[in-house]
Amino acid sequence: MASAVSLPAGSDALLDLIDGQAVVIDSDGNVVGVNGLAAATVKVGEPLTTDVARHYGALPLIGDSGLRVVLLAEAGGIDSAAGDDDLNGFPMTYEIRPDGTIQALNAGIRVVERVLATPIATLADAARLWDARVHPDDRSAHALFRQTVARGERAELEYRIVGFDGVERRVWTRDRPYRERSGRMLVEGVVFDVTERHAVRSALDAARDRLQTVLETINEVVFEVLVAPDGALSVSHAGPGMDRLLGAPVGPGENPLAALRARIHRDDQERYLLHLADVMRGVDSAIECRVVGASEGSYRWMWIRSRPVNEDAGDLRVAVVISDVDDLRAAAERRDSAELQIQELLASGEDVLSIDEIQDDGRLVSVYAPPNVSRFYGEAVSGAQAADRWARALHPDDRARVLATYKRHRELGTISLEYRIVRADGSVRTVWDRSRAFVGQNGRWYAAGAMTDVTDHRRFAKESEYLRALSDAVTDDLYVDLHRPDGTVENVFESPAGRRIFGTTNPDRVAQWFQAVLPEDRPLLAETYAAVAAGEPFAVTYRVRDAAGAVRIVNDVGAPAGDGPDGRLVAGIVRDVTEQTRIGRSLIEREADMRAVAHAIDEVLYVDHARDDGTFETIFVDDATHGLYGGTPGGVGFGVGVWMTHIHPDDAATFHAGIAQALAGDQQVDMVYRLLGVDGVTRYIEDRPRAFRAADGRLLVAGTIREVPRPG
């Protein structure tokens, strides 16, 4: 302390309490004393300037000397810029007796009033009320503090004061005792209200504890490296878990950064050094590398992120976070493998799976489409364009119905539709579409769907339905067999007449039939299999033994009906010709009968659906209708709608009357009418329709049509 006047006793003790700048001024405002920290700001013997003074607050010094101590705003935490009302601390002087009791000589009464939240009249009241409001849990520590000061020892204490408003505040006291020549023990002290600082410190401690808990819980390590201007590295902070990350404990005083570098896999050392070089240049950097474990050959993948920050002092402070990502990488590899397998399955499957977003107007926007979507439409289609390609592919006759249903998808929830699409090459395929609407986590509507090409299935089903419709109208055995590539044969359909031939029912029709053929005739049956393999029709006569043991002679006439996904379908007719043989028909007659049978299967077969509104829908029609129209051989036949437009106008009444008669009762109707061919030729047609109810309740009309000579 430098001074120009003799300062009262205790002034040195008071100024010693002040950590910041402090000066002593007289009643005229001239500086008469200054501590070492303030020497660079003001000089002894000079007055305080207005600019300096407004940054200081003045407090009375000891006794009646008229001198005042001036504290800088940063001094010991005292905010004295605006005087007592804004101070969060104050100096005080008191006499302490051997029994620990005190007599206040000087104190900042205004600050005491603010802390205690009550008016203070005298210094004696301030001292009495202050001691009375010490928190009960801190009174023993406060009493011990006073005893220490009474012994002439310096002391500091942080404790709580409970104000008259019930608010609990924390204060910190630093006391410096000294003895006067008279023998009195005087104490110069400073009291600070540290409530807010304590709250901030508590919050920081809590945050630090939470961070510590998080760092110990998660599989990450956090530390901070300080890089000096000369390149020297030092670890300023190291979080927990480094030993867990390295697979071995870090020794006392061991640099964790050096320990980490020593464990970097040799194949990753170069990349790690490049990472450090980027950081040293002040660039954020991240790297995935392997860290060798304690056991030989073991390692784990780590993700190291470093963020450098330049300090004012020239140092480079680097925050480093290391995460163990070995399990994540393994999971990602398993996920990628699973996704690849799923993609392969989707690409090889018959179904087209998709996820689309449902717009408010019912329009679909593609979210996901599998690789086989291109095969489905017969051209390359990107996943993003799958929904648009689907809409364009809808058959014109089905588009309105399908789009109207999808417009109500949100309302309906789940839909199942069968409709036609037109492929890029113009071919028409029938698809079975199933879709479920749902709301995603983002609140949007989506449709998860699956489409299956059922064209072949529906064709086989229609042919089976047609055969069943005709089976009750004929006495011959109609059958459809599936010849698989491995040589096995499976029966797909058989009419009741087949059971009449055998006199019994056997679910394994093919095996039963083969066993029933007489051994010496079985090579003839093998000829039919050879014809099927060559894609040719067959006609053969052989003998079978029925369930009663009697031998019957049958004619078996058939031909390939198409190739399906599981093999080749064969349709045929078996006629029991035993009786004709027994009455002595000649071989020529039998051959003529066989030709008649072969001619019979050349008739055009059809099945139509009679709707309730009086219109008809073609279920099945033989391709041979082209011949009746005079069309090109191999052309496609026409449906019932076009057929009726070609009936001669004078015979239309005959046709409709015959159909009405067939619909009215369970009987076959024979009628003859004229058909106007596309080649300009008028042909006479024999039509034999018969009505029946299908299993699903629909009214169907099945029959045969053929060209006959002109009557008369």
Side-chain angles (χ1 to χ4, degrees):
M1 177 71 186
S3 61
V5 299
S6 176
L7 299 179
S11 298
D12 291 341
L14 173 60
L15 293 176
D16 181 54
L17 295 173
I18 301 171
D19 294 332
Q21 303 179 65
V23 297
V24 178
I25 60 175
D26 59 19
S27 58
D28 295 327
N30 295 319
V31 177
V32 295
V34 58
N35 69 3
L37 294 176
T41 305
V42 295
K43 301 298 183 182
V44 174
E46 296 179 357
L48 283 179
T49 64
T50 303
D51 181 63
V52 174
R54 64 187 178 89
H55 290 286
Y56 292 74
L59 296 174
L61 198 60
I62 301 169
D64 298 326
S65 63
L67 302 178
R68 298 170 66 84
V69 63
V70 179
L71 309 174
L72 187 62
E74 291 81 5
I78 295 181
D79 183 8
S80 58
D84 290 356
D85 290 341
D86 293 323
L87 292 176
N88 64 353
F90 58 92
M92 62 180 178
T93 305
Y94 63 89
E95 178 186 354
I96 187 167
R97 302 182 181 91
D99 60 0
T101 60
I102 67 170
Q103 178 181 357
L105 302 177
N106 184 29
I109 292 181
R110 300 286 78 79
V111 181
V112 175
E113 288 181 337
R114 190 176 64 195
V115 174
L116 297 181
T118 187
I120 303 296
T122 63
L123 287 173
D125 291 340
R128 177 179 55 80
L129 293 175
W130 186 274
D131 289 348
R133 304 306 294 184
V134 173
H135 193 284
D137 295 341
D138 296 340
R139 287 176 182 170
S140 59
H142 187 259
L144 183 61
F145 167 77
R146 285 282 177 81
Q147 293 173 9
T148 302
V149 174
R151 292 196 301 269
E153 300 176 12
R154 296 184 176 189
E156 298 177 2
L157 178 67
E158 184 177 312
Y159 57 98
R160 289 164 291 179
I161 293 290
V162 181
F164 284 90
D165 55 359
V167 176
E168 183 179 296
R169 294 177 175 84
R170 284 187 170 269
V171 297
W172 177 75
T173 300
R174 176 193 293 172
D175 285 358
R176 299 292 184 264
Y178 64 95
R179 192 174 297 279
E180 284 187 328
R181 296 176 181 177
S182 62
R184 287 193 311 169
M185 181 71 74
L186 298 183
V187 179
E188 296 293 342
V190 180
V191 180
F192 301 104
D193 183 347
V194 295
T195 305
E196 294 183 4
R197 186 178 67 182
H198 183 272
V200 172
R201 186 175 61 192
S202 298
L204 289 175
D205 291 342
R208 187 180 297 106
D209 292 342
R210 288 195 298 270
L211 178 60
Q212 186 80 356
T213 302
V214 170
L215 293 177
E216 291 175 354
T217 303
I218 64 177
N219 210 18
E220 293 189 338
V221 174
V222 178
F223 60 90
E224 190 177 63
V225 179
L226 197 62
V227 184
D230 60 0
L233 301 179
S234 61
V235 177
S236 57
H237 169 77
M242 196 67 177
D243 52 349
R244 182 180 70 245
L245 182 144
L246 296 177
V250 178
E254 184 179 3
N255 188 324
L257 186 63
L260 172 65
R261 180 174 177 178
R263 294 292 184 87
I264 298 296
H265 195 281
R266 62 176 179 273
D267 294 339
D268 297 333
Q269 284 282 349
E270 182 178 353
R271 291 194 301 119
Y272 179 72
L273 292 177
L274 292 175
H275 165 77
L276 291 182
D278 287 340
V279 174
M280 296 294 285
R281 290 188 294 107
V283 179
D284 291 359
S285 181
I287 182 179
E288 273 194 11
C289 60
R290 289 160 289 184
V291 174
V292 179
S295 58
E296 183 177 357
S298 66
Y299 63 83
R300 294 186 68 82
W301 281 94
M302 302 294 169
W303 184 29
I304 304 175
R305 291 97 74 199
S306 302
R307 170 165 292 181
V309 177
N310 289 307
E311 298 286 327
D312 293 339
D315 296 338
L316 186 68
R317 189 175 300 275
V318 183
V320 182
V321 180
I322 306 177
S323 305
D324 187 332
V325 295
D326 196 78
D327 294 337
L328 293 177
R329 285 181 62 94
E333 291 176 357
R334 292 193 297 269
R335 179 201 62 205
D336 294 343
S337 176
E339 287 183 352
L340 180 60
Q341 295 176 8
I342 291 174
Q343 291 292 341
E344 292 176 350
L345 288 174
L346 292 176
S348 61
E350 293 185 1
D351 292 345
V352 173
L353 308 179
S354 63
I355 296 180
D356 303 310
E357 183 178 345
I358 307 174
Q359 303 296 301
D360 293 339
D361 58 0
R363 187 170 53 87
L364 300 181
V365 176
S366 295
V367 175
Y368 168 79
N372 63 342
V373 67
S374 297
R375 189 181 68 220
F376 196 79
Y377 294 112
E379 66 177 355
V381 178
S382 67
Q385 300 298 322
D388 292 338
R389 182 63 181 87
W390 166 81
R392 295 198 313 272
L394 292 174
H395 192 282
D397 295 342
D398 297 339
R399 178 177 287 111
R401 172 175 60 90
V402 174
L403 295 181
T405 303
Y406 264 95
K407 193 170 184 178
R408 300 178 56 211
H409 200 349
R410 296 183 183 181
E411 172 190 347
L412 297 174
T414 301
I415 58 178
S416 177
L417 293 170
E418 188 170 304
Y419 51 86
R420 292 163 295 176
I421 63 170
V422 181
R423 288 165 52 91
D425 59 2
S427 61
V428 177
R429 308 293 292 179
T430 301
V431 300
W432 177 32
D433 187 358
R434 294 88 70 202
S435 183
R436 181 179 65 86
F438 65 95
V439 180
Q441 294 182 350
N442 58 4
R444 299 177 180 175
W445 279 90
Y446 295 91
M451 287 193 300
T452 307
D453 187 335
V454 295
T455 306
D456 295 334
H457 299 282
R458 291 296 176 262
R459 180 166 63 87
F460 298 151
K462 287 182 178 180
E463 291 177 353
S464 297
E465 186 176 5
Y466 151 72
L467 291 172
R468 288 188 176 89
L470 293 181
S471 64
D472 290 335
V474 298
T475 59
D476 300 331
D477 177 24
L478 305 180
Y479 68 88
V480 177
D481 289 341
L482 176 65
H483 288 244
R484 300 183 185 277
D486 60 3
T488 60
V489 182
E490 175 188 351
N491 178 245
V492 177
F493 169 81
E494 183 182 25
S495 68
R499 294 191 292 272
R500 288 196 296 270
I501 292 176
F502 287 109
T504 183
T505 300
N506 189 329
D508 191 354
R509 181 258 183 201
V510 175
Q512 181 193 33
W513 189 270
F514 188 83
Q515 293 298 324
V517 177
L518 296 186
E520 54 269 31
D521 290 350
R522 288 176 185 171
L524 298 174
L525 188 61
E527 291 181 7
T528 66
Y529 293 170
V532 170
E536 300 175 355
F538 60 86
V540 64
T541 301
Y542 51 83
R543 293 166 294 173
V544 298
R545 191 178 301 278
D546 65 13
V551 175
R552 296 178 177 273
I553 301 174
V554 298
N555 289 331
D556 191 350
V557 181
D563 293 335
D566 299 323
R568 177 167 293 172
L569 291 174
V570 176
I573 299 177
V574 175
R575 170 176 288 181
D576 186 348
V577 295
T578 305
E579 294 302 322
Q580 291 88 331
T581 303
R582 287 180 178 177
I583 64 175
R585 292 183 61 181
S586 65
L587 181 59
I588 296 177
E589 290 175 334
R590 291 199 301 273
E591 290 178 353
D593 188 64
M594 289 173 57
R595 285 193 296 270
V597 171
H599 177 71
I601 66 171
D602 285 338
E603 294 180 352
V604 178
L605 308 175
Y606 68 86
V607 178
D608 297 329
H609 172 209
R611 296 193 181 99
D612 295 337
D613 60 1
T615 60
F616 290 86
E617 174 191 8
T618 298
I619 302 298
F620 172 84
V621 64
D622 199 326
D623 291 348
T625 51
H626 67 81
L628 300 179
Y629 283 96
T632 303
V636 179
F638 296 94
V640 61
V642 178
W643 179 270
M644 289 190 292
T645 63
H646 283 265
I647 295 175
H648 195 285
D650 296 341
D651 295 342
T654 301
F655 173 79
H656 290 293
I659 294 297
Q661 183 180 355
L663 295 175
D666 184 14
Q667 59 181 345
Q668 181 173 300
V669 176
D670 294 331
M671 55 181 172
V672 177
Y673 51 83
R674 287 167 290 177
L675 190 72
L676 303 177
V678 296
D679 55 357
V681 178
T682 299
R683 295 174 175 82
Y684 284 85
I685 303 299
E686 181 185 62
D687 192 345
R688 293 179 292 174
R690 179 176 182 178
F692 66 97
R693 287 283 179 184
D696 59 4
R698 291 182 300 168
L699 181 60
L700 304 181
V701 178
T704 62
I705 52 177
R706 65 173 181 167
E707 183 180 358
V708 296
R710 178 176 181 176

